[in-house]
Structures are given as structure tokens and as C-alpha cells.
Amino acid sequence: MSNIIALTRSFMLRSVVVAMATGGLVSGCGGGGGGGGGGIVGVGVGVVVPVQQPDVAPLSLTLTRLGPEAVEVDWSDDPRAASFLVIRDGFDLATVTSTSLVDNSVIFDETYCYQVEGHDASGRLVAASSNGCITIFP
């Protein structure tokens, strides 16, 4: 009887290894003991699928002075972008769904640098502009 148990264990171990390699379920032969019918050995194999980040498309950026203390920030559109994050001097200024923004919080004799990032509906970066700077002269 011990040979049968050893053979069953060997079969089950090999089945588990095969199941792990293929990600499937393997039928066991049951047997051993009183009344154990056929069973199924399920082995969950975690498959790591790398999340591919989308390519970051370039956005063109245009800065225009409006009035004495305002800057209009315009950029090109990207069809994958659901929203755009406007960044001024390294800090988030606003998140918008359009392709322009008027910044009314600038003052004379200062230089401001802007960048725009486009994000898809999942929040992934899909488009970005390079930095653009403007100095506000009186």
C-alpha cells in the first residue's frame, strides 16, 4: 500500500508542477483511503503582466500676455487626454479639460514658467509640453 501512496504523491506533485507551468487545473486520480473519488487540484498561478505606459506625445505650448497682469496659456490637443494639468514654476496651477487657461495671478517684473501635462481617463500621463517661460514687464 505504501508504494501506491508514494506513486499517488509523486503523480500529484508532478501535476501541481505542470499546473503551475501551464496555469491550468489538473485532475487528480483520487484513490487512497476509504471512498475518496476523483478530485481536482487547483493551483492559482499569479501571472505578472507588465502595464505598458502609453507613449507621451508632445504638446506645443504658447504663452501670451493679456492685459497688465494676466497670461494666456494655450497648448495643442491630444485625443487621448481627458484632462490637462497646467503647472507653473513646478507647482500645479489648475486641471482643465480645455486647451487653454488664463492665469490672472501674475505680477510685474516676474518670470513664470509653464508646462502642461495631458492625462487619460485613468490618470496616466499621455502628453506633455516642454517648459515655456514668460517675463511680465510693465
Side-chain angles (χ1 to χ4, degrees):
M1 189 67 130
S2 65
N3 288 341
I4 293 175
I5 292 173
L7 181 63
T8 302
R9 285 183 183 162
S10 175
F11 173 75
M12 294 302 287
L13 284 174
R14 288 181 187 163
S15 298
V16 168
V17 169
V18 169
M20 290 176 66
T22 61
L25 296 177
V26 177
S27 295
C29 62
I40 295 179
V41 176
V43 177
V45 176
V47 177
V48 177
V49 178
V51 177
Q52 183 175 350
Q53 293 295 326
D55 292 330
V56 177
L59 295 174
S60 61
L61 182 67
T62 305
L63 304 174
T64 308
R65 182 175 172 190
L66 295 179
E69 296 180 344
V71 172
E72 182 175 15
V73 183
D74 294 298
W75 57 92
S76 56
D77 197 6
D78 186 285
R80 299 175 300 164
S83 64
F84 296 95
L85 173 64
V86 180
I87 302 165
R88 183 181 78 185
D89 297 330
F91 296 98
D92 297 354
L93 181 63
T95 300
V96 297
T97 56
S98 63
T99 58
S100 68
L101 172 86
V102 175
D103 182 4
N104 291 313
S105 62
V106 298
I107 57 174
F108 291 126
D109 295 327
E110 292 291 329
T111 299
Y112 299 94
C113 295
Y114 295 88
Q115 183 180 12
V116 177
E117 296 179 349
H119 297 269
D120 67 9
S122 300
R124 290 180 295 208
L125 179 67
V126 294
S129 72
S130 57
N131 266 350
C133 299
I134 188 170
T135 301
I136 309 300
F137 292 111

mmCIF file of all heavy atoms in Angstrom, residues 81-126:
data_model
loop_
_atom_site.group_PDB
_atom_site.id
_atom_site.type_symbol
_atom_site.label_atom_id
_atom_site.label_comp_id
_atom_site.label_asym_id
_atom_site.label_seq_id
_atom_site.Cartn_x
_atom_site.Cartn_y
_atom_site.Cartn_z
ATOM 1 N N ALA A 81 -6.055 62.504 -24.246
ATOM 2 C CA ALA A 81 -6.087 63.239 -22.973
ATOM 3 C C ALA A 81 -7.523 63.578 -22.583
ATOM 4 O O ALA A 81 -8.264 64.183 -23.346
ATOM 5 C CB ALA A 81 -5.256 64.506 -23.076
ATOM 6 N N ALA A 82 -7.894 63.194 -21.376
ATOM 7 C CA ALA A 82 -9.210 63.532 -20.839
ATOM 8 C C ALA A 82 -9.148 64.841 -20.055
ATOM 9 O O ALA A 82 -10.152 65.540 -19.924
ATOM 10 C CB ALA A 82 -9.714 62.416 -19.934
ATOM 11 N N SER A 83 -7.960 65.171 -19.532
ATOM 12 C CA SER A 83 -7.787 66.422 -18.792
ATOM 13 C C SER A 83 -6.330 66.855 -18.920
ATOM 14 O O SER A 83 -5.453 66.064 -19.275
ATOM 15 C CB SER A 83 -8.149 66.247 -17.319
ATOM 16 O OG SER A 83 -7.271 65.327 -16.701
ATOM 17 N N PHE A 84 -6.112 68.125 -18.617
ATOM 18 C CA PHE A 84 -4.771 68.696 -18.704
ATOM 19 C C PHE A 84 -4.419 69.348 -17.382
ATOM 20 O O PHE A 84 -5.226 70.066 -16.795
ATOM 21 C CB PHE A 84 -4.704 69.745 -19.819
ATOM 22 C CG PHE A 84 -4.936 69.174 -21.188
ATOM 23 C CD1 PHE A 84 -6.200 69.197 -21.754
ATOM 24 C CD2 PHE A 84 -3.904 68.602 -21.909
ATOM 25 C CE1 PHE A 84 -6.428 68.666 -23.014
ATOM 26 C CE2 PHE A 84 -4.110 68.066 -23.163
ATOM 27 C CZ PHE A 84 -5.384 68.104 -23.721
ATOM 28 N N LEU A 85 -3.212 69.095 -16.936
ATOM 29 C CA LEU A 85 -2.693 69.713 -15.722
ATOM 30 C C LEU A 85 -1.749 70.824 -16.142
ATOM 31 O O LEU A 85 -0.762 70.576 -16.845
ATOM 32 C CB LEU A 85 -1.953 68.683 -14.864
ATOM 33 C CG LEU A 85 -1.220 69.215 -13.640
ATOM 34 C CD1 LEU A 85 -2.198 69.824 -12.639
ATOM 35 C CD2 LEU A 85 -0.410 68.105 -12.997
ATOM 36 N N VAL A 86 -2.054 72.044 -15.717
ATOM 37 C CA VAL A 86 -1.197 73.191 -16.005
ATOM 38 C C VAL A 86 -0.306 73.402 -14.788
ATOM 39 O O VAL A 86 -0.793 73.533 -13.662
ATOM 40 C CB VAL A 86 -2.027 74.459 -16.313
ATOM 41 C CG1 VAL A 86 -1.116 75.632 -16.614
ATOM 42 C CG2 VAL A 86 -2.986 74.198 -17.470
ATOM 43 N N ILE A 87 0.980 73.435 -15.038
ATOM 44 C CA ILE A 87 1.969 73.571 -13.966
ATOM 45 C C ILE A 87 2.697 74.893 -14.167
ATOM 46 O O ILE A 87 3.122 75.213 -15.277
ATOM 47 C CB ILE A 87 2.982 72.404 -14.025
ATOM 48 C CG1 ILE A 87 2.237 71.075 -13.912
ATOM 49 C CG2 ILE A 87 4.048 72.547 -12.958
ATOM 50 C CD1 ILE A 87 3.067 69.877 -14.301
ATOM 51 N N ARG A 88 2.778 75.680 -13.100
ATOM 52 C CA ARG A 88 3.524 76.938 -13.157
ATOM 53 C C ARG A 88 4.641 76.894 -12.133
ATOM 54 O O ARG A 88 4.389 76.646 -10.954
ATOM 55 C CB ARG A 88 2.611 78.139 -12.882
ATOM 56 C CG ARG A 88 3.373 79.475 -13.017
ATOM 57 C CD ARG A 88 2.502 80.665 -12.717
ATOM 58 N NE ARG A 88 2.355 80.781 -11.267
ATOM 59 C CZ ARG A 88 1.566 81.664 -10.681
ATOM 60 N NH1 ARG A 88 0.827 82.488 -11.399
ATOM 61 N NH2 ARG A 88 1.491 81.711 -9.372
ATOM 62 N N ASP A 89 5.860 77.117 -12.589
ATOM 63 C CA ASP A 89 7.036 77.147 -11.715
ATOM 64 C C ASP A 89 7.146 75.898 -10.842
ATOM 65 O O ASP A 89 7.518 75.961 -9.678
ATOM 66 C CB ASP A 89 7.033 78.414 -10.848
ATOM 67 C CG ASP A 89 7.129 79.676 -11.688
ATOM 68 O OD1 ASP A 89 7.743 79.627 -12.768
ATOM 69 O OD2 ASP A 89 6.570 80.713 -11.275
ATOM 70 N N GLY A 90 6.791 74.744 -11.424
ATOM 71 C CA GLY A 90 6.920 73.482 -10.714
ATOM 72 C C GLY A 90 5.769 73.117 -9.806
ATOM 73 O O GLY A 90 5.787 72.063 -9.171
ATOM 74 N N PHE A 91 4.747 73.963 -9.724
ATOM 75 C CA PHE A 91 3.595 73.699 -8.860
ATOM 76 C C PHE A 91 2.328 73.596 -9.697
ATOM 77 O O PHE A 91 2.144 74.331 -10.674
ATOM 78 C CB PHE A 91 3.434 74.814 -7.813
ATOM 79 C CG PHE A 91 4.581 74.895 -6.862
ATOM 80 C CD1 PHE A 91 5.594 75.828 -7.055
ATOM 81 C CD2 PHE A 91 4.665 74.030 -5.775
ATOM 82 C CE1 PHE A 91 6.667 75.900 -6.185
ATOM 83 C CE2 PHE A 91 5.740 74.100 -4.906
ATOM 84 C CZ PHE A 91 6.744 75.038 -5.107
ATOM 85 N N ASP A 92 1.425 72.701 -9.303
ATOM 86 C CA ASP A 92 0.166 72.540 -10.018
ATOM 87 C C ASP A 92 -0.653 73.821 -9.908
ATOM 88 O O ASP A 92 -0.900 74.314 -8.807
ATOM 89 C CB ASP A 92 -0.639 71.379 -9.434
ATOM 90 C CG ASP A 92 0.063 70.037 -9.587
ATOM 91 O OD1 ASP A 92 1.123 69.982 -10.240
ATOM 92 O OD2 ASP A 92 -0.460 69.040 -9.046
ATOM 93 N N LEU A 93 -1.053 74.339 -11.070
ATOM 94 C CA LEU A 93 -1.850 75.560 -11.092
ATOM 95 C C LEU A 93 -3.326 75.236 -11.251
ATOM 96 O O LEU A 93 -4.164 75.750 -10.511
ATOM 97 C CB LEU A 93 -1.384 76.478 -12.234
ATOM 98 C CG LEU A 93 -2.083 77.812 -12.387
ATOM 99 C CD1 LEU A 93 -1.846 78.693 -11.155
ATOM 100 C CD2 LEU A 93 -1.597 78.521 -13.644
ATOM 101 N N ALA A 94 -3.663 74.374 -12.210
ATOM 102 C CA ALA A 94 -5.070 74.037 -12.454
ATOM 103 C C ALA A 94 -5.159 72.779 -13.293
ATOM 104 O O ALA A 94 -4.247 72.454 -14.052
ATOM 105 C CB ALA A 94 -5.771 75.180 -13.170
ATOM 106 N N THR A 95 -6.274 72.081 -13.172
ATOM 107 C CA THR A 95 -6.609 70.957 -14.045
ATOM 108 C C THR A 95 -7.839 71.358 -14.828
ATOM 109 O O THR A 95 -8.849 71.764 -14.244
ATOM 110 C CB THR A 95 -6.883 69.678 -13.231
ATOM 111 O OG1 THR A 95 -5.708 69.348 -12.488
ATOM 112 C CG2 THR A 95 -7.250 68.523 -14.145
ATOM 113 N N VAL A 96 -7.735 71.267 -16.151
ATOM 114 C CA VAL A 96 -8.820 71.699 -17.032
ATOM 115 C C VAL A 96 -9.047 70.646 -18.109
ATOM 116 O O VAL A 96 -8.202 69.777 -18.339
ATOM 117 C CB VAL A 96 -8.514 73.073 -17.680
ATOM 118 C CG1 VAL A 96 -8.391 74.167 -16.618
ATOM 119 C CG2 VAL A 96 -7.239 73.005 -18.510
ATOM 120 N N THR A 97 -10.190 70.767 -18.787
ATOM 121 C CA THR A 97 -10.479 69.863 -19.902
ATOM 122 C C THR A 97 -10.353 70.574 -21.245
ATOM 123 O O THR A 97 -10.447 69.937 -22.283
ATOM 124 C CB THR A 97 -11.897 69.268 -19.765
ATOM 125 O OG1 THR A 97 -12.844 70.330 -19.666
ATOM 126 C CG2 THR A 97 -11.995 68.373 -18.541
ATOM 127 N N SER A 98 -10.118 71.872 -21.229
ATOM 128 C CA SER A 98 -9.935 72.628 -22.469
ATOM 129 C C SER A 98 -8.449 72.702 -22.803
ATOM 130 O O SER A 98 -7.618 72.151 -22.094
ATOM 131 C CB SER A 98 -10.511 74.040 -22.302
ATOM 132 O OG SER A 98 -9.791 74.731 -21.299
ATOM 133 N N THR A 99 -8.124 73.413 -23.876
ATOM 134 C CA THR A 99 -6.716 73.541 -24.282
ATOM 135 C C THR A 99 -6.189 74.956 -24.080
ATOM 136 O O THR A 99 -5.276 75.390 -24.776
ATOM 137 C CB THR A 99 -6.531 73.116 -25.748
ATOM 138 O OG1 THR A 99 -7.371 73.923 -26.558
ATOM 139 C CG2 THR A 99 -6.854 71.645 -25.942
ATOM 140 N N SER A 100 -6.758 75.658 -23.116
ATOM 141 C CA SER A 100 -6.233 76.980 -22.777
ATOM 142 C C SER A 100 -6.623 77.336 -21.348
ATOM 143 O O SER A 100 -7.556 76.778 -20.781
ATOM 144 C CB SER A 100 -6.750 78.052 -23.746
ATOM 145 O OG SER A 100 -8.129 78.239 -23.576
ATOM 146 N N LEU A 101 -5.859 78.285 -20.811
ATOM 147 C CA LEU A 101 -6.093 78.746 -19.445
ATOM 148 C C LEU A 101 -5.585 80.175 -19.346
ATOM 149 O O LEU A 101 -4.522 80.492 -19.892
ATOM 150 C CB LEU A 101 -5.335 77.866 -18.447
ATOM 151 C CG LEU A 101 -5.330 78.345 -16.994
ATOM 152 C CD1 LEU A 101 -6.574 77.853 -16.281
ATOM 153 C CD2 LEU A 101 -4.086 77.875 -16.287
ATOM 154 N N VAL A 102 -6.324 81.027 -18.647
ATOM 155 C CA VAL A 102 -5.857 82.387 -18.376
ATOM 156 C C VAL A 102 -5.428 82.438 -16.917
ATOM 157 O O VAL A 102 -6.206 82.161 -16.016
ATOM 158 C CB VAL A 102 -6.953 83.438 -18.670
ATOM 159 C CG1 VAL A 102 -6.472 84.827 -18.260
ATOM 160 C CG2 VAL A 102 -7.344 83.405 -20.138
ATOM 161 N N ASP A 103 -4.154 82.770 -16.725
ATOM 162 C CA ASP A 103 -3.589 82.895 -15.387
ATOM 163 C C ASP A 103 -3.618 84.367 -14.995
ATOM 164 O O ASP A 103 -2.842 85.170 -15.500
ATOM 165 C CB ASP A 103 -2.156 82.352 -15.380
ATOM 166 C CG ASP A 103 -1.507 82.413 -14.008
ATOM 167 O OD1 ASP A 103 -2.175 82.808 -13.030
ATOM 168 O OD2 ASP A 103 -0.312 82.054 -13.921
ATOM 169 N N ASN A 104 -4.518 84.710 -14.070
ATOM 170 C CA ASN A 104 -4.674 86.093 -13.607
ATOM 171 C C ASN A 104 -3.888 86.373 -12.334
ATOM 172 O O ASN A 104 -4.108 87.403 -11.691
ATOM 173 C CB ASN A 104 -6.156 86.401 -13.342
ATOM 174 C CG ASN A 104 -6.955 86.439 -14.618
ATOM 175 O OD1 ASN A 104 -6.554 87.063 -15.594
ATOM 176 N ND2 ASN A 104 -8.084 85.738 -14.625
ATOM 177 N N SER A 105 -2.982 85.494 -11.977
ATOM 178 C CA SER A 105 -2.265 85.671 -10.710
ATOM 179 C C SER A 105 -0.797 86.014 -10.913
ATOM 180 O O SER A 105 0.036 85.718 -10.061
ATOM 181 C CB SER A 105 -2.398 84.402 -9.873
ATOM 182 O OG SER A 105 -1.807 83.305 -10.544
ATOM 183 N N VAL A 106 -0.470 86.670 -12.032
ATOM 184 C CA VAL A 106 0.919 87.071 -12.272
ATOM 185 C C VAL A 106 1.098 88.540 -11.909
ATOM 186 O O VAL A 106 0.137 89.302 -11.860
ATOM 187 C CB VAL A 106 1.320 86.826 -13.744
ATOM 188 C CG1 VAL A 106 1.230 85.342 -14.064
ATOM 189 C CG2 VAL A 106 0.483 87.629 -14.703
ATOM 190 N N ILE A 107 2.348 88.926 -11.630
ATOM 191 C CA ILE A 107 2.643 90.320 -11.300
ATOM 192 C C ILE A 107 3.838 90.788 -12.132
ATOM 193 O O ILE A 107 4.587 89.987 -12.678
ATOM 194 C CB ILE A 107 2.921 90.507 -9.786
ATOM 195 C CG1 ILE A 107 4.073 89.615 -9.334
ATOM 196 C CG2 ILE A 107 1.680 90.209 -8.970
ATOM 197 C CD1 ILE A 107 4.505 89.827 -7.902
ATOM 198 N N PHE A 108 4.021 92.117 -12.195
ATOM 199 C CA PHE A 108 5.107 92.720 -12.968
ATOM 200 C C PHE A 108 6.477 92.279 -12.470
ATOM 201 O O PHE A 108 6.647 91.958 -11.286
ATOM 202 C CB PHE A 108 5.047 94.258 -12.885
ATOM 203 C CG PHE A 108 3.869 94.850 -13.606
ATOM 204 C CD1 PHE A 108 3.001 95.706 -12.952
ATOM 205 C CD2 PHE A 108 3.629 94.568 -14.934
ATOM 206 C CE1 PHE A 108 1.923 96.261 -13.598
ATOM 207 C CE2 PHE A 108 2.554 95.122 -15.602
ATOM 208 C CZ PHE A 108 1.695 95.969 -14.929
ATOM 209 N N ASP A 109 7.429 92.364 -13.373
ATOM 210 C CA ASP A 109 8.836 92.096 -13.088
ATOM 211 C C ASP A 109 9.099 90.685 -12.551
ATOM 212 O O ASP A 109 10.041 90.475 -11.788
ATOM 213 C CB ASP A 109 9.404 93.131 -12.104
ATOM 214 C CG ASP A 109 9.426 94.524 -12.713
ATOM 215 O OD1 ASP A 109 9.631 94.637 -13.940
ATOM 216 O OD2 ASP A 109 9.234 95.496 -11.957
ATOM 217 N N GLU A 110 8.283 89.755 -12.952
ATOM 218 C CA GLU A 110 8.491 88.358 -12.572
ATOM 219 C C GLU A 110 8.510 87.498 -13.831
ATOM 220 O O GLU A 110 7.891 87.830 -14.837
ATOM 221 C CB GLU A 110 7.370 87.859 -11.647
ATOM 222 C CG GLU A 110 7.355 88.506 -10.270
ATOM 223 C CD GLU A 110 8.536 88.086 -9.405
ATOM 224 O OE1 GLU A 110 9.035 86.953 -9.546
ATOM 225 O OE2 GLU A 110 8.961 88.913 -8.577
ATOM 226 N N THR A 111 9.211 86.397 -13.767
ATOM 227 C CA THR A 111 9.238 85.428 -14.855
ATOM 228 C C THR A 111 8.504 84.186 -14.390
ATOM 229 O O THR A 111 8.716 83.699 -13.269
ATOM 230 C CB THR A 111 10.683 85.066 -15.242
ATOM 231 O OG1 THR A 111 11.353 86.251 -15.685
ATOM 232 C CG2 THR A 111 10.719 84.025 -16.349
ATOM 233 N N TYR A 112 7.625 83.675 -15.241
ATOM 234 C CA TYR A 112 6.822 82.496 -14.933
ATOM 235 C C TYR A 112 7.077 81.425 -15.995
ATOM 236 O O TYR A 112 7.099 81.734 -17.187
ATOM 237 C CB TYR A 112 5.334 82.847 -14.892
ATOM 238 C CG TYR A 112 5.011 83.867 -13.826
ATOM 239 C CD1 TYR A 112 4.960 85.223 -14.127
ATOM 240 C CD2 TYR A 112 4.776 83.469 -12.518
ATOM 241 C CE1 TYR A 112 4.677 86.159 -13.152
ATOM 242 C CE2 TYR A 112 4.497 84.406 -11.530
ATOM 243 C CZ TYR A 112 4.450 85.747 -11.852
ATOM 244 O OH TYR A 112 4.171 86.679 -10.878
ATOM 245 N N CYS A 113 7.263 80.210 -15.538
ATOM 246 C CA CYS A 113 7.490 79.094 -16.457
ATOM 247 C C CYS A 113 6.323 78.112 -16.334
ATOM 248 O O CYS A 113 5.931 77.727 -15.226
ATOM 249 C CB CYS A 113 8.804 78.390 -16.138
ATOM 250 S SG CYS A 113 10.243 79.463 -16.430
ATOM 251 N N TYR A 114 5.782 77.736 -17.486
ATOM 252 C CA TYR A 114 4.611 76.862 -17.540
ATOM 253 C C TYR A 114 4.950 75.567 -18.253
ATOM 254 O O TYR A 114 5.805 75.524 -19.142
ATOM 255 C CB TYR A 114 3.473 77.551 -18.303
ATOM 256 C CG TYR A 114 2.945 78.786 -17.630
ATOM 257 C CD1 TYR A 114 3.525 80.033 -17.864
ATOM 258 C CD2 TYR A 114 1.862 78.721 -16.761
ATOM 259 C CE1 TYR A 114 3.042 81.178 -17.263
ATOM 260 C CE2 TYR A 114 1.368 79.865 -16.151
ATOM 261 C CZ TYR A 114 1.969 81.085 -16.406
ATOM 262 O OH TYR A 114 1.484 82.226 -15.795
ATOM 263 N N GLN A 115 4.238 74.529 -17.872
ATOM 264 C CA GLN A 115 4.282 73.250 -18.544
ATOM 265 C C GLN A 115 2.881 72.656 -18.457
ATOM 266 O O GLN A 115 2.156 72.906 -17.487
ATOM 267 C CB GLN A 115 5.285 72.302 -17.887
ATOM 268 C CG GLN A 115 5.412 70.982 -18.604
ATOM 269 C CD GLN A 115 6.415 70.054 -17.936
ATOM 270 O OE1 GLN A 115 6.863 70.286 -16.817
ATOM 271 N NE2 GLN A 115 6.756 68.987 -18.623
ATOM 272 N N VAL A 116 2.496 71.881 -19.472
ATOM 273 C CA VAL A 116 1.171 71.257 -19.489
ATOM 274 C C VAL A 116 1.347 69.754 -19.657
ATOM 275 O O VAL A 116 2.154 69.302 -20.465
ATOM 276 C CB VAL A 116 0.305 71.832 -20.630
ATOM 277 C CG1 VAL A 116 -1.036 71.120 -20.695
ATOM 278 C CG2 VAL A 116 0.105 73.325 -20.449
ATOM 279 N N GLU A 117 0.579 69.002 -18.875
ATOM 280 C CA GLU A 117 0.568 67.546 -18.980
ATOM 281 C C GLU A 117 -0.848 67.093 -19.312
ATOM 282 O O GLU A 117 -1.809 67.540 -18.685
ATOM 283 C CB GLU A 117 0.981 66.886 -17.661
ATOM 284 C CG GLU A 117 2.394 67.169 -17.242
ATOM 285 C CD GLU A 117 2.746 66.523 -15.915
ATOM 286 O OE1 GLU A 117 1.831 66.025 -15.205
ATOM 287 O OE2 GLU A 117 3.944 66.496 -15.580
ATOM 288 N N GLY A 118 -0.978 66.208 -20.291
ATOM 289 C CA GLY A 118 -2.265 65.614 -20.623
ATOM 290 C C GLY A 118 -2.368 64.239 -19.992
ATOM 291 O O GLY A 118 -1.440 63.433 -20.089
ATOM 292 N N HIS A 119 -3.487 63.969 -19.325
ATOM 293 C CA HIS A 119 -3.704 62.690 -18.652
ATOM 294 C C HIS A 119 -4.946 62.020 -19.220
ATOM 295 O O HIS A 119 -5.946 62.695 -19.492
ATOM 296 C CB HIS A 119 -3.866 62.891 -17.147
ATOM 297 C CG HIS A 119 -2.632 63.451 -16.504
ATOM 298 N ND1 HIS A 119 -1.643 62.654 -15.983
ATOM 299 C CD2 HIS A 119 -2.214 64.728 -16.329
ATOM 300 C CE1 HIS A 119 -0.671 63.411 -15.502
ATOM 301 N NE2 HIS A 119 -0.993 64.675 -15.709
ATOM 302 N N ASP A 120 -4.894 60.687 -19.378
ATOM 303 C CA ASP A 120 -6.067 59.973 -19.875
ATOM 304 C C ASP A 120 -7.068 59.784 -18.742
ATOM 305 O O ASP A 120 -6.843 60.233 -17.613
ATOM 306 C CB ASP A 120 -5.677 58.655 -20.544
ATOM 307 C CG ASP A 120 -5.102 57.618 -19.583
ATOM 308 O OD1 ASP A 120 -5.145 57.826 -18.360
ATOM 309 O OD2 ASP A 120 -4.619 56.590 -20.081
ATOM 310 N N ALA A 121 -8.179 59.106 -19.032
ATOM 311 C CA ALA A 121 -9.241 58.927 -18.038
ATOM 312 C C ALA A 121 -8.773 58.139 -16.816
ATOM 313 O O ALA A 121 -9.348 58.273 -15.738
ATOM 314 C CB ALA A 121 -10.444 58.241 -18.684
ATOM 315 N N SER A 122 -7.714 57.355 -16.960
ATOM 316 C CA SER A 122 -7.169 56.584 -15.831
ATOM 317 C C SER A 122 -6.137 57.365 -15.041
ATOM 318 O O SER A 122 -5.598 56.867 -14.063
ATOM 319 C CB SER A 122 -6.525 55.296 -16.338
ATOM 320 O OG SER A 122 -7.469 54.506 -16.998
ATOM 321 N N GLY A 123 -5.821 58.573 -15.497
ATOM 322 C CA GLY A 123 -4.841 59.400 -14.801
ATOM 323 C C GLY A 123 -3.411 59.206 -15.269
ATOM 324 O O GLY A 123 -2.489 59.761 -14.678
ATOM 325 N N ARG A 124 -3.209 58.407 -16.323
ATOM 326 C CA ARG A 124 -1.853 58.188 -16.837
ATOM 327 C C ARG A 124 -1.439 59.338 -17.740
ATOM 328 O O ARG A 124 -2.244 59.870 -18.508
ATOM 329 C CB ARG A 124 -1.779 56.880 -17.616
ATOM 330 C CG ARG A 124 -1.908 55.663 -16.730
ATOM 331 C CD ARG A 124 -1.826 54.434 -17.555
ATOM 332 N NE ARG A 124 -2.997 54.437 -18.441
ATOM 333 C CZ ARG A 124 -3.583 53.364 -18.924
ATOM 334 N NH1 ARG A 124 -3.095 52.190 -18.638
ATOM 335 N NH2 ARG A 124 -4.639 53.448 -19.702
ATOM 336 N N LEU A 125 -0.179 59.693 -17.657
ATOM 337 C CA LEU A 125 0.386 60.753 -18.480
ATOM 338 C C LEU A 125 0.461 60.273 -19.925
ATOM 339 O O LEU A 125 1.075 59.257 -20.211
ATOM 340 C CB LEU A 125 1.780 61.117 -17.969
ATOM 341 C CG LEU A 125 2.532 62.194 -18.739
ATOM 342 C CD1 LEU A 125 1.838 63.544 -18.583
ATOM 343 C CD2 LEU A 125 3.964 62.281 -18.253
ATOM 344 N N VAL A 126 -0.185 61.006 -20.848
ATOM 345 C CA VAL A 126 -0.175 60.620 -22.262
ATOM 346 C C VAL A 126 0.419 61.701 -23.148
ATOM 347 O O VAL A 126 0.767 61.437 -24.298
ATOM 348 C CB VAL A 126 -1.588 60.245 -22.768
ATOM 349 C CG1 VAL A 126 -2.089 58.993 -22.067
ATOM 350 C CG2 VAL A 126 -2.571 61.391 -22.610
#
